[in-house]
Amino acid sequence: MRTMIHHMKYIFVGLGLFLFTGNILAQNEWVVPEDKVGNVAPFEFTDATIKTGEKLYNTNCQSCHGQPGKENYIALNPIPGDLAWPEVQSQTDGELFYKFTEGRGAMPSFKNILSADDRWALVAYLRTYKADYVQPSTEMAKAFSGAAVLLNTVYDAAQHTLKVTANEMGDAGAAGDPAPGLDLALFAKRYFGDLKLDEEKTTGPDGSVTFMIPTDLPGDTAGMLHCFVRVVNNDDYSNVKEEITLTTDQKADDYSLTEKRAMWGTMKKIPIWLLATYLVVVLGVFGTLAYIALMVRKIYLAGKQNDTN
Amino acid sequence: MDQIINIKDKKGWYSKLLNDTARPMGLTDSHKIWMGVLVAGLAITLFAYFLQLRDGLIVTGLRDYVSWGMYIANFVFFVACSLVGMFISAVLGLAGAKWITPIARLAEIIAVAFAMVAGLVIISDMGRPDRFMYLFFYGRLQSPILWDVTVVTTYVIISLFLYFIPMIPDLAIFSKYKTMNPPLLNKAFKILSLNWIGSSEQQALIKRSVRILLILIVPVALAIHTVTSWLFAATPRIGWDSTIFGPYFVTGAFVAGTAALIIGMFFFRNNYKLKDHITDMHFDKMGKVMVLVSLVYLYFNINEFLVPGYKLKLHDAVHLHALFAGKHALLFWSVQLGGLIIPLVLMIFRRFRKPLPMLILSVLMLVGSWFKRYLIVIPTQEHPHLPIQNVPHEYIFYKPTLIETGVTLASFLLVIVIITMLSKFFPLLPVYEMAHEAGIENPEALAEELAAEEQSKAKNE
């Protein structure tokens, strides 16, 4: 009986461990929603696309994932992995696109950082590491394609508002009927990715939304704020983008911290007092040592003189 | 002033001094064996460095968190030991202590050896030593590193001057006094003695230059260890971010250097049979000096830990806990008690200031000093203000590897080789100075007289 209980204990512990590890495994699996798995790029991958993708990869992905195929990703836990690995390449274009878009854990979401086209360009670049890759037909995507939406912006500098009107594309590129139900987001271009301003807004029956522009946001050195409006709820329109430059009262401080001489500057920009201190001390000490060397020479000469005498 | 010898028989005493100093000089069988052992050891340990050169720093325990390990701790230790040259010759010498004369040159030898190798230790910590010159092409004076390179180099040069200039008359004396093995040594002595004849002009020149050097070396020596401490203190890291790091390092250096000198004194006194010149009195005095410098160092230690320990700011608490009761506690308390407090207390008593107990206590203090540098350099890096996320466990904690230990050992062997060479091929005791202090007017002439007497004695026999 006793041994029975003993065995039972092990069984329970074993069972617990099994469930526990199962749980971890489940957590590690990154499941892509079924309707996204089959998504394909709305355009054909060309050399230009691949090149764009490579550039984007180098600036956005390489710092963690390393160069594809070289397994020089950084040592994080869990490991970021090499994107040329078969377990990555065996996924569908749609799965990769979804993962770039959403991100998970330490991997950031690129939804707001890269446009859908850019994310597809990344897929195009990574597929160069799959020997037998054939791009799935873009037919399906093409059916939805097109800049079928026209965005129009009106900036009210006094009220600090930006009114955006969305219209369906009419004949010959003219604005057609208002496009309601589109989610629009406003971004300001910044050094490190785009900064979302205000909230995402859904166009009303007249196809328009109004964004509030923050008053304390610095523009560039001339006070200009470079913004764009994008459709965010529909990937098929994500390349529909309207750029606009706003004037603000806030001019960027163009004072560069490395412009003047400073402790953090390069050697060429060393503070004068520091250089002077160094030179005075070093010249002083080595001058004294030179004087000592001269005295040593004098010892030698004095002995020589006496010798000849 | 303490009189070293009761000089009734000045000539007899001087003759013994010359003989005792000349006896170990030059090549001997035991020296060859000793050098053979050292060179073999160097060959093995330098192979470890070859492995590091070939495979890179990955063969060491250094990783993203602890990027300064045993090498930098060892560098700080070497710089510390080298300070003894300044301490004995300049601090005690300028203060008028005459008893230091017989050990001043040994102190200078230790200083030169440690300071020279300290520069190499830094190179062993470099992942790309072939880019060493970049330090001079692209180095910034705004960084303490370049200042450290400057002061260490300057200190080596001044120490070499301080080693060489007072030795000029000795070289002149020994070039004539005895035929060395190999005789080439006599020739070398003659050239290096720079026509020394002991004229009053020459005497004045030597006196003046040594005096200038002794004054000059004080700020330079203080600077080398202060700047070394700035390599740490100029960062905002826990355990390094301290305003007293400069004096803390300098006083620690006096302890380490004094310990190294006492060990050297014991070694040379026994192996070179210099008991009549490096006497019990010297050990007694050095013991008192050691008590003084250790007390000052202990005072800085208390400051360094008590103040942050009282305030216990969040990050300091993590660090201090690791030292006092955590992972480094055993080493910390061994170093503080066994390497500082216990030897310090024992040295207060006269009976422990005899040569053998002094040797044992000094070894404890020197070993303690090495591990103290280890405790200053490594634990801080295990607690960064901005930890790296999701980093593998083995990247956080540092454990030196065998190869790293081998390379560190190589630096010690190199120091011993330099000390051996300098003490073996050049007079270890400053006979000229000692003779002058004993009241012998013209040591050069008396040495020649003694040499002639010996020759005639040998002929008669």
Side-chain angles (χ1 to χ4, degrees), chain A residues 106 139 250:
Chain A
E139 285 301 311
Q250 305 278 333

Side-chain angles (χ1 to χ4, degrees), chain B residues 3-44:
Chain B
Q3 193 56 279
I4 304 157
I5 22 141
N6 179 16
I7 310 166
K8 273 184 190 143
D9 177 17
K10 279 186 191 169
K11 199 169 158 186
W13 170 82
Y14 186 50
S15 167
K16 186 163 174 19
L17 173 66
L18 287 178
N19 274 327
D20 286 348
T21 311
R23 195 188 323 107
M25 254 194 276
L27 285 174
T28 52
D29 287 341
S30 56
H31 173 245
K32 282 179 198 161
I33 294 169
W34 173 236
M35 281 304 284
V37 171
L38 288 178
V39 169
L42 259 184
I44 296 167

Side-chain angles (χ1 to χ4, degrees), chain A residues 77-284:
Chain A
N77 182 22
I79 56 162
D82 189 317
L83 298 188
W85 278 348
E87 55 258 53
V88 177
Q89 294 291 347
S90 63
Q91 299 176 27
T92 66
D93 287 4
E95 283 176 302
L96 294 180
F97 182 83
Y98 174 82
K99 290 179 179 182
F100 301 162
T101 308
E102 299 300 328
R104 186 182 69 153
M107 159 111 178
S109 152
F110 286 89
K111 198 192 283 178
N112 291 335
I113 300 170
L114 300 175
S115 71
D117 283 8
D118 286 346
R119 278 172 270 147
W120 282 120
L122 269 177
V123 175
Y125 168 63
L126 284 176
R127 286 311 190 192
T128 59
Y129 292 92
K130 190 182 186 190
D132 56 349
Y133 175 74
V134 181
Q135 192 188 0
S137 166
T138 57
E139 285 301 311
M140 188 178 64
K142 268 181 182 163
F144 299 99
S145 162
V149 172
L150 267 184
L151 297 179
N152 223 320
T153 56
V154 179
Y155 178 47
D156 185 342
Q159 298 295 318
H160 301 290
T161 56
L162 183 74
K163 187 175 175 187
V164 183
T165 316
N167 291 91
E168 281 176 20
M169 183 91 82
D171 295 331
D177 297 333
L182 276 180
D183 285 354
L184 298 182
L186 173 66
F187 298 89
K189 292 183 186 174
R190 310 308 271 180
Y191 265 129
F192 302 102
D194 302 320
L195 176 72
K196 201 165 153 195
L197 304 181
D198 207 348
E199 308 268 298
E200 278 174 24
K201 293 193 172 170
T202 311
T203 52
D206 63 340
S208 76
V209 290
T210 304
F211 292 104
M212 293 299 296
I213 309 290
T215 53
D216 55 351
L217 188 68
D220 60 12
T221 50
M224 308 304 272
L225 196 58
H226 302 280
C227 301
F228 62 88
V229 182
R230 222 176 69 193
V231 179
V232 287
N233 67 330
N234 189 333
D235 281 339
D236 304 318
Y237 294 122
S238 80
N239 49 353
V240 178
K241 197 162 137 180
E242 177 68 14
E243 303 212 359
I244 178 173
T245 302
L246 312 176
T247 47
T248 66
D249 308 333
Q250 305 278 333
K251 285 186 187 172
D253 199 349
D254 67 342
Y255 168 69
S256 162
L257 287 173
T258 53
E259 198 176 22
K260 290 186 181 165
R261 291 180 181 278
M263 284 304 274
W264 53 86
T266 55
M267 185 63 182
K268 278 181 189 154
K269 293 194 174 163
I270 182 174
I272 297 285
W273 66 265
L274 188 64
L275 184 65
T277 310
Y278 182 83
L279 289 178
V280 166
V281 171
V282 167
L283 289 178

